[in-house]
Structure formats: structure tokens, C-alpha cells
Amino acid sequence: MSELLQQLILDELSTNGLISDSRSLILPGSSAPAASNDAQIAVLGALNSLDSRAMIHYETHEEFSHVLTPEGSQIARHGSHEARVWAALPAPGQGSPVTPAELQKAVGDEAAKVGQGRAFKNGWIAKDGKGLVKAKSEIDDVTQAQLREIESSGTLVEGEAVLSDLRKRKLAVQKKLQWFTVRKGPSFSTSIAKLETDLTVEMLTSGSWKTANFKSYNFDAEGLPTDGGALHPLMKVREEVVSIFLEMGFAEMPTSSFVDSGFWCFDVLFVPQQHPARDLQDTFYLSDPKISKPPPAEYYKRVATVHEHGAYGSMGYRAPWSDEESRKLLLRTHMTGISARMLYKLAARVKGAEAGFRPTKMFSIDRVFRNETLDATHLAEFHQVEGVVADRGLTLADLIGFMRVFFRKMGIENLRFKPAYNPYTEPSLEVFAFHPLLNKWVEIGNSGMFRPELVKPTGVPDDVHVLGWGISLERPTMIKYGINNIRTLVGHKVPIDNVEKTAAVRF
Ligand code: PHE
């Protein structure tokens, strides 16, 4: 088809020197002129191909025309609802008036309902006792006539006001049509030379490449979209955050176990066993298996003691210790349990083969789970980003300094800190950043200096202090991609198309 069409255009130009309106072409395999939009799209394809070889030039014109909707075509054929109502009624005194039920039967529900009102308004029909009769012996069904005119010419002599009314009544719709004027180009010829697209071994050996006509590169052509896999937007932001931590010399903690015990998620962090965060309303507990394996015995004892009786200068909670609470299996509610476990491992190394404490910077980014009420910005699971530094003599100034560097690398310069409370840090700071789009300060993270009740039982040397901060991964991602409902970011309602098309992120 496309080659035949190209040939047709060239022949037409050769005979007439010009195609003033491409809608007059009679396309191969058809008997009528190519007036439809589809036909003109085919013509455009052929024109582009000829234009790329400079065989022709063309100009594009745009025209708006009207076509009928299915209801419009129906009326063009059988008359407007009001005319059909009128036609179904007897002239006064010439037969018995038609009741509403009879009218419905005669012209159908829709026409009876819509048509009656309009027919009354036009003064075409009148009431006679319980029924309806004609009030005029002749009517002029203007709507039908207008629609017939549109059907044959694509427009109305009466003009835009009437057209707009018909569009509102959903009887006609506007359509844009492109058409073209075509002239000969500098390389015009009636025969389409096949252009070579490859330089082959045969051409080189025979020497035919010297005279061959090569197709020129089209640098404007868009490549085919690849349909390989794509990183989820959250994972793109994750990559970016990982690279920030790596630049700052942090190493990633192993985070693959979603299930942890009350001991590692709460107890080692000095979260009291009666803390509301440990309630069923906040934490998901496992029903099978219910109970974890015993934690390292000596560490367990130190942690239980600091809770129940106090130690390391702390008076503890002075509440009875529950082994059962400590051994409960749960879906981890934050990543700080992993940080504590790493500190414990670090301290164990002090006595091992690689003896000696070494300052450490660690980070984790992974899923945590909370038994939350779900809404547009909360799900029962999200990703937590956590940075932890352990070194001798660290202070609050170091915490603030690390966070300033970290957030600056994410493009956030304007920070404020507010005193807060966490069972495992003292002092604790909430981190606020100024959000230029929302024009207000928004909370972006939580942080603090780990308490002695957490740090000392792990067994790291006495002068080692630990600082840490956490943010969610979803929040910066939603801001970055302008997403305001978390369900379009996570879960089964995420449009796959979006996942494939979202750009890589650079902070
Ligand atoms: N775990 C804290 C939270 O869930 C974040 C945090 C990490 C706070 C480290 C202090 C220190 O919000």
C-alpha cells in the first residue's frame, strides 16, 4: 500500500505539477477520494517517505469538521424525538388521543420522554382529555435537517452557535482533519529508486558502492521503546541514597530478616516491655512460630538487668522482666534493632581474632512493618533509612554535622532540630526541613545519641559513643516524583507504565 501510494503521488505530480488538496487523491484499492482522517494519515506516511528523499515538498493544513454521534445518525435517519412523537399522534378530531403508555409503545421510552417536552415547547402537540394530539398539521424537523447537512458536508451553513448546541446535545462531535498540498522537490522523479541501507561485502568487492545511492541517516527518528525490566521509583531513590552513604564512608548492614524478636527489636534498645509501641495495635506478632530461639545468654542477662534493676549508672525501669515478651516473634517495626545487633557484634570482635574496637559508620535501607490505619500517606509497611556512627568521644555536634552533610547531599540545606523523645536515645532530635513547594517546615527524620542503657550492655569500650538518625524512603520519593497518594507508589494499584517511565533520580 505505502509504495503504491507513493507512486500515485509521484504520478499525480508528474501529470498536474501540483496536488493542491491531498483529499482529492483516490487511494489505491479505493474508489472514493481520501477525505477521511485515516486516509490522510496514510498519505502523510507516504509524503514523509518521499520528502526524506527530497522528491517532494509538502505543506500541512488543518481543518475542523463535524461528524455525527450514533444518536445523531439515528436522528438524521428517522427524525428527532419530538418529530417522532408528533408523527405518532392523530390530528385533532381525527382519531382518539394517544395516552402516554401508548406513545411509549409507539416510539420507545427514550423518544417519548425527551421528545414530549420538546414537542410541547415547539407548540407541535397538545393535551386532549387524558391523551395527546397534534397541534399543528405540519412541522419542520430542523434538527433532522441540520444533522443531515452535517452528515453530507461536515459542517453547517448556520454556523458555530448551532453546531455548539448540537455538540452539547451529544448529537455531533468536532474532529480535526489534516490535509496537504504537495509540490515537486529537487530530486523529483516518477520512479522511486530503492536506497541502500547497508554497506555490504558484495558492494565492496564489486565496487558498486561507488555509484550506489545510500539512504541518509534520520537523526530525528525516535528509537523503539525498550521493553526490558525497569527499576521501581522507590528503588531508584534507594540507589541514590545508598550512593550518598557510600560517599560518606558508610558500610551497609545486613538487613534481610524481616522477622525479629521482641528482644532485638525492643529490649536491647531499652524500650520498656510495657511500651505502647509493643501493643498489638502497633506491632504485628507472628502466630506460628510464636517464640524465638534464645538470644546470647550473657548479653540477654545484661539487657534484662538494665531493664529490671538498672546498671551503668541508670536506675532501669524497676518493673518485672518478662522472658515471654522478649522471646515473641514479630515483624520488625524499625531498623534500629539491626543497628544494636551490629554494635553487639562489633563488641564481640573486641575479644575475637580481629581484636580491637574500630570506629564504624553503618547504614541500612529496608522494609519495616507497623500495624497502622491505612490512608493516602500511610501503609502497614514502608522503608526506613538509618545511619549509625560509633566512635570514641562522639557528641551531639557530630550527630548534627553528619546529618547536615547527609541531607545536603540530598539537596536539603535548610534544617532545624527539635528536642524529642525516643526510649533509646538521649538527647533525641526531630529533624525539620523547609519545603519550598508546601512553603512550610516539614518533619523529615528522627535522630539521637544512643543511651548508655543500649550501648554499654553490647560490650563496646566505655568511651565509645554512638549516634544515629532515620528517615523514610517513601517521603522523599513522593516529593521527588510529585506523588500524593502512596498507593500510586506501592502496591497492586501502581501503574506498571509509570514504573517503566519514571526518570532516574539525582538529588
Ligand atoms: N528508629 C527511629 C524511628 O523509627 C529512627 C532513629 C534511628 C532514631 C536512630 C534515633 C536514632 O523513627
Side-chain angles (χ1 to χ4, degrees), residues 103-131:
L103 180 66
Q104 238 174 45
K105 230 192 227 159
V107 299
D109 276 2
E110 164 93 13
K113 225 190 295 159
V114 185
Q116 255 185 78
R118 283 181 167 271
F120 270 119
K121 214 169 117 202
N122 294 350
W124 291 356
I125 63 171
K127 276 211 164 114
D128 181 354
K130 284 211 169 108

mmCIF file of all heavy atoms in Angstrom, residues 103-131:
data_model
loop_
_atom_site.group_PDB
_atom_site.id
_atom_site.type_symbol
_atom_site.label_atom_id
_atom_site.label_comp_id
_atom_site.label_asym_id
_atom_site.label_seq_id
_atom_site.Cartn_x
_atom_site.Cartn_y
_atom_site.Cartn_z
ATOM 1 N N LEU A 103 -48.004 6.017 23.660
ATOM 2 C CA LEU A 103 -46.928 6.759 22.993
ATOM 3 C C LEU A 103 -45.586 6.053 23.214
ATOM 4 O O LEU A 103 -44.793 5.869 22.290
ATOM 5 C CB LEU A 103 -46.871 8.196 23.521
ATOM 6 C CG LEU A 103 -45.798 9.065 22.894
ATOM 7 C CD1 LEU A 103 -46.100 9.307 21.415
ATOM 8 C CD2 LEU A 103 -45.674 10.410 23.617
ATOM 9 N N GLN A 104 -45.400 5.640 24.478
ATOM 10 C CA GLN A 104 -44.166 4.931 24.819
ATOM 11 C C GLN A 104 -43.997 3.693 23.950
ATOM 12 O O GLN A 104 -42.915 3.393 23.467
ATOM 13 C CB GLN A 104 -44.220 4.510 26.282
ATOM 14 C CG GLN A 104 -43.063 5.062 27.084
ATOM 15 C CD GLN A 104 -43.222 4.745 28.554
ATOM 16 O OE1 GLN A 104 -43.566 3.615 28.919
ATOM 17 N NE2 GLN A 104 -43.025 5.743 29.384
ATOM 18 N N LYS A 105 -45.068 2.992 23.775
ATOM 19 C CA LYS A 105 -45.047 1.779 22.970
ATOM 20 C C LYS A 105 -44.705 2.103 21.516
ATOM 21 O O LYS A 105 -43.932 1.409 20.861
ATOM 22 C CB LYS A 105 -46.415 1.092 23.031
ATOM 23 C CG LYS A 105 -46.288 -0.387 23.365
ATOM 24 C CD LYS A 105 -47.589 -1.069 23.140
ATOM 25 C CE LYS A 105 -47.958 -1.960 24.329
ATOM 26 N NZ LYS A 105 -49.379 -2.228 24.365
ATOM 27 N N ALA A 106 -45.264 3.218 21.035
ATOM 28 C CA ALA A 106 -45.102 3.553 19.619
ATOM 29 C C ALA A 106 -43.701 4.032 19.275
ATOM 30 O O ALA A 106 -43.135 3.643 18.259
ATOM 31 C CB ALA A 106 -46.128 4.613 19.222
ATOM 32 N N VAL A 107 -43.111 4.897 20.135
ATOM 33 C CA VAL A 107 -41.816 5.484 19.748
ATOM 34 C C VAL A 107 -40.651 5.056 20.638
ATOM 35 O O VAL A 107 -39.500 5.434 20.400
ATOM 36 C CB VAL A 107 -41.879 7.037 19.721
ATOM 37 C CG1 VAL A 107 -42.902 7.514 18.722
ATOM 38 C CG2 VAL A 107 -42.168 7.592 21.120
ATOM 39 N N GLY A 108 -40.947 4.278 21.710
ATOM 40 C CA GLY A 108 -39.879 3.855 22.623
ATOM 41 C C GLY A 108 -39.762 4.809 23.797
ATOM 42 O O GLY A 108 -40.169 5.974 23.699
ATOM 43 N N ASP A 109 -39.188 4.317 24.907
ATOM 44 C CA ASP A 109 -39.078 5.076 26.162
ATOM 45 C C ASP A 109 -38.405 6.422 26.004
ATOM 46 O O ASP A 109 -38.926 7.462 26.368
ATOM 47 C CB ASP A 109 -38.218 4.285 27.167
ATOM 48 C CG ASP A 109 -39.061 3.276 27.886
ATOM 49 O OD1 ASP A 109 -40.267 3.201 27.563
ATOM 50 O OD2 ASP A 109 -38.513 2.575 28.752
ATOM 51 N N GLU A 110 -37.171 6.328 25.432
ATOM 52 C CA GLU A 110 -36.281 7.484 25.344
ATOM 53 C C GLU A 110 -36.937 8.619 24.543
ATOM 54 O O GLU A 110 -37.028 9.749 25.012
ATOM 55 C CB GLU A 110 -34.981 6.995 24.696
ATOM 56 C CG GLU A 110 -34.082 8.072 24.160
ATOM 57 C CD GLU A 110 -33.060 8.479 25.193
ATOM 58 O OE1 GLU A 110 -32.909 7.762 26.193
ATOM 59 O OE2 GLU A 110 -32.430 9.531 24.994
ATOM 60 N N ALA A 111 -37.422 8.276 23.338
ATOM 61 C CA ALA A 111 -38.020 9.298 22.469
ATOM 62 C C ALA A 111 -39.270 9.883 23.116
ATOM 63 O O ALA A 111 -39.506 11.094 23.067
ATOM 64 C CB ALA A 111 -38.353 8.705 21.112
ATOM 65 N N ALA A 112 -40.081 9.042 23.783
ATOM 66 C CA ALA A 112 -41.303 9.520 24.413
ATOM 67 C C ALA A 112 -40.964 10.532 25.497
ATOM 68 O O ALA A 112 -41.585 11.585 25.611
ATOM 69 C CB ALA A 112 -42.085 8.350 24.999
ATOM 70 N N LYS A 113 -39.910 10.208 26.297
ATOM 71 C CA LYS A 113 -39.543 11.061 27.428
ATOM 72 C C LYS A 113 -38.991 12.403 26.928
ATOM 73 O O LYS A 113 -39.494 13.459 27.258
ATOM 74 C CB LYS A 113 -38.484 10.340 28.267
ATOM 75 C CG LYS A 113 -38.791 10.446 29.756
ATOM 76 C CD LYS A 113 -37.641 9.949 30.616
ATOM 77 C CE LYS A 113 -37.351 8.463 30.467
ATOM 78 N NZ LYS A 113 -36.036 8.057 30.874
ATOM 79 N N VAL A 114 -37.915 12.343 26.132
ATOM 80 C CA VAL A 114 -37.246 13.565 25.671
ATOM 81 C C VAL A 114 -38.122 14.320 24.679
ATOM 82 O O VAL A 114 -38.231 15.541 24.728
ATOM 83 C CB VAL A 114 -35.896 13.207 25.005
ATOM 84 C CG1 VAL A 114 -35.131 14.467 24.624
ATOM 85 C CG2 VAL A 114 -35.072 12.308 25.909
ATOM 86 N N GLY A 115 -38.767 13.574 23.764
ATOM 87 C CA GLY A 115 -39.495 14.192 22.658
ATOM 88 C C GLY A 115 -40.729 14.958 23.092
ATOM 89 O O GLY A 115 -41.025 16.027 22.552
ATOM 90 N N GLN A 116 -41.455 14.434 24.104
ATOM 91 C CA GLN A 116 -42.688 15.103 24.529
ATOM 92 C C GLN A 116 -42.448 16.533 24.954
ATOM 93 O O GLN A 116 -43.137 17.454 24.508
ATOM 94 C CB GLN A 116 -43.285 14.343 25.715
ATOM 95 C CG GLN A 116 -44.478 13.529 25.337
ATOM 96 C CD GLN A 116 -45.074 12.902 26.607
ATOM 97 O OE1 GLN A 116 -45.754 13.564 27.375
ATOM 98 N NE2 GLN A 116 -44.793 11.625 26.789
ATOM 99 N N GLY A 117 -41.439 16.725 25.813
ATOM 100 C CA GLY A 117 -41.122 18.057 26.338
ATOM 101 C C GLY A 117 -40.845 19.025 25.209
ATOM 102 O O GLY A 117 -41.401 20.132 25.155
ATOM 103 N N ARG A 118 -39.979 18.602 24.313
ATOM 104 C CA ARG A 118 -39.583 19.486 23.215
ATOM 105 C C ARG A 118 -40.765 19.770 22.282
ATOM 106 O O ARG A 118 -40.917 20.877 21.774
ATOM 107 C CB ARG A 118 -38.448 18.851 22.406
ATOM 108 C CG ARG A 118 -37.122 18.954 23.106
ATOM 109 C CD ARG A 118 -36.027 18.331 22.265
ATOM 110 N NE ARG A 118 -34.743 18.695 22.795
ATOM 111 C CZ ARG A 118 -34.077 19.783 22.447
ATOM 112 N NH1 ARG A 118 -34.565 20.592 21.533
ATOM 113 N NH2 ARG A 118 -32.922 20.062 22.992
ATOM 114 N N ALA A 119 -41.591 18.749 22.036
ATOM 115 C CA ALA A 119 -42.717 18.917 21.126
ATOM 116 C C ALA A 119 -43.731 19.915 21.707
ATOM 117 O O ALA A 119 -44.265 20.758 20.994
ATOM 118 C CB ALA A 119 -43.381 17.569 20.857
ATOM 119 N N PHE A 120 -43.931 19.841 23.062
ATOM 120 C CA PHE A 120 -44.805 20.836 23.720
ATOM 121 C C PHE A 120 -44.233 22.221 23.557
ATOM 122 O O PHE A 120 -44.919 23.175 23.221
ATOM 123 C CB PHE A 120 -44.953 20.504 25.214
ATOM 124 C CG PHE A 120 -46.118 19.596 25.500
ATOM 125 C CD1 PHE A 120 -45.926 18.350 26.086
ATOM 126 C CD2 PHE A 120 -47.427 20.005 25.211
ATOM 127 C CE1 PHE A 120 -46.996 17.502 26.355
ATOM 128 C CE2 PHE A 120 -48.504 19.173 25.483
ATOM 129 C CZ PHE A 120 -48.284 17.910 26.053
ATOM 130 N N LYS A 121 -42.879 22.307 23.818
ATOM 131 C CA LYS A 121 -42.224 23.605 23.776
ATOM 132 C C LYS A 121 -42.347 24.228 22.379
ATOM 133 O O LYS A 121 -42.541 25.436 22.229
ATOM 134 C CB LYS A 121 -40.747 23.425 24.149
ATOM 135 C CG LYS A 121 -40.185 24.606 24.908
ATOM 136 C CD LYS A 121 -38.825 24.275 25.491
ATOM 137 C CE LYS A 121 -37.786 25.174 24.874
ATOM 138 N NZ LYS A 121 -36.452 24.635 24.964
ATOM 139 N N ASN A 122 -42.234 23.388 21.363
ATOM 140 C CA ASN A 122 -42.342 23.883 19.984
ATOM 141 C C ASN A 122 -43.789 24.188 19.586
ATOM 142 O O ASN A 122 -44.038 24.663 18.479
ATOM 143 C CB ASN A 122 -41.803 22.838 18.996
ATOM 144 C CG ASN A 122 -40.304 22.636 19.172
ATOM 145 O OD1 ASN A 122 -39.670 23.398 19.894
ATOM 146 N ND2 ASN A 122 -39.755 21.612 18.536
ATOM 147 N N GLY A 123 -44.756 23.822 20.467
ATOM 148 C CA GLY A 123 -46.159 24.004 20.138
ATOM 149 C C GLY A 123 -46.650 23.027 19.077
ATOM 150 O O GLY A 123 -47.603 23.303 18.363
ATOM 151 N N TRP A 124 -46.001 21.853 18.991
ATOM 152 C CA TRP A 124 -46.378 20.863 17.976
ATOM 153 C C TRP A 124 -47.514 19.966 18.430
ATOM 154 O O TRP A 124 -48.232 19.410 17.625
ATOM 155 C CB TRP A 124 -45.179 19.960 17.628
ATOM 156 C CG TRP A 124 -44.074 20.652 16.886
ATOM 157 C CD1 TRP A 124 -44.061 21.930 16.440
ATOM 158 C CD2 TRP A 124 -42.842 20.070 16.515
ATOM 159 N NE1 TRP A 124 -42.898 22.206 15.814
ATOM 160 C CE2 TRP A 124 -42.100 21.065 15.840
ATOM 161 C CE3 TRP A 124 -42.259 18.805 16.673
ATOM 162 C CZ2 TRP A 124 -40.841 20.841 15.329
ATOM 163 C CZ3 TRP A 124 -41.000 18.574 16.175
ATOM 164 C CH2 TRP A 124 -40.285 19.592 15.506
ATOM 165 N N ILE A 125 -47.627 19.765 19.753
ATOM 166 C CA ILE A 125 -48.631 18.819 20.260
ATOM 167 C C ILE A 125 -49.437 19.474 21.362
ATOM 168 O O ILE A 125 -49.005 20.477 21.941
ATOM 169 C CB ILE A 125 -47.983 17.506 20.770
ATOM 170 C CG1 ILE A 125 -47.044 17.806 21.971
ATOM 171 C CG2 ILE A 125 -47.214 16.791 19.670
ATOM 172 C CD1 ILE A 125 -46.545 16.539 22.654
ATOM 173 N N ALA A 126 -50.591 18.917 21.690
ATOM 174 C CA ALA A 126 -51.431 19.474 22.753
ATOM 175 C C ALA A 126 -52.113 18.337 23.497
ATOM 176 O O ALA A 126 -52.172 17.198 23.029
ATOM 177 C CB ALA A 126 -52.479 20.395 22.145
ATOM 178 N N LYS A 127 -52.603 18.684 24.708
ATOM 179 C CA LYS A 127 -53.353 17.700 25.511
ATOM 180 C C LYS A 127 -54.795 17.685 25.040
ATOM 181 O O LYS A 127 -55.360 18.722 24.694
ATOM 182 C CB LYS A 127 -53.318 18.113 26.977
ATOM 183 C CG LYS A 127 -52.065 17.639 27.680
ATOM 184 C CD LYS A 127 -52.352 17.361 29.151
ATOM 185 C CE LYS A 127 -51.233 16.541 29.726
ATOM 186 N NZ LYS A 127 -50.464 17.268 30.733
ATOM 187 N N ASP A 128 -55.400 16.483 25.058
ATOM 188 C CA ASP A 128 -56.819 16.382 24.730
ATOM 189 C C ASP A 128 -57.375 15.312 25.651
ATOM 190 O O ASP A 128 -57.150 14.121 25.420
ATOM 191 C CB ASP A 128 -56.987 16.001 23.253
ATOM 192 C CG ASP A 128 -58.468 15.905 22.870
ATOM 193 O OD1 ASP A 128 -59.317 16.024 23.784
ATOM 194 O OD2 ASP A 128 -58.748 15.717 21.669
ATOM 195 N N GLY A 129 -58.053 15.766 26.738
ATOM 196 C CA GLY A 129 -58.519 14.805 27.747
ATOM 197 C C GLY A 129 -57.326 14.123 28.373
ATOM 198 O O GLY A 129 -56.383 14.773 28.812
ATOM 199 N N LYS A 130 -57.326 12.780 28.382
ATOM 200 C CA LYS A 130 -56.240 12.039 29.015
ATOM 201 C C LYS A 130 -55.097 11.778 28.045
ATOM 202 O O LYS A 130 -54.076 11.184 28.398
ATOM 203 C CB LYS A 130 -56.775 10.692 29.535
ATOM 204 C CG LYS A 130 -57.585 10.877 30.809
ATOM 205 C CD LYS A 130 -57.452 9.643 31.697
ATOM 206 C CE LYS A 130 -58.034 9.911 33.068
ATOM 207 N NZ LYS A 130 -59.284 9.223 33.315
ATOM 208 N N GLY A 131 -55.259 12.170 26.797
ATOM 209 C CA GLY A 131 -54.237 11.829 25.800
ATOM 210 C C GLY A 131 -53.648 13.039 25.115
ATOM 211 O O GLY A 131 -53.836 14.178 25.520
#
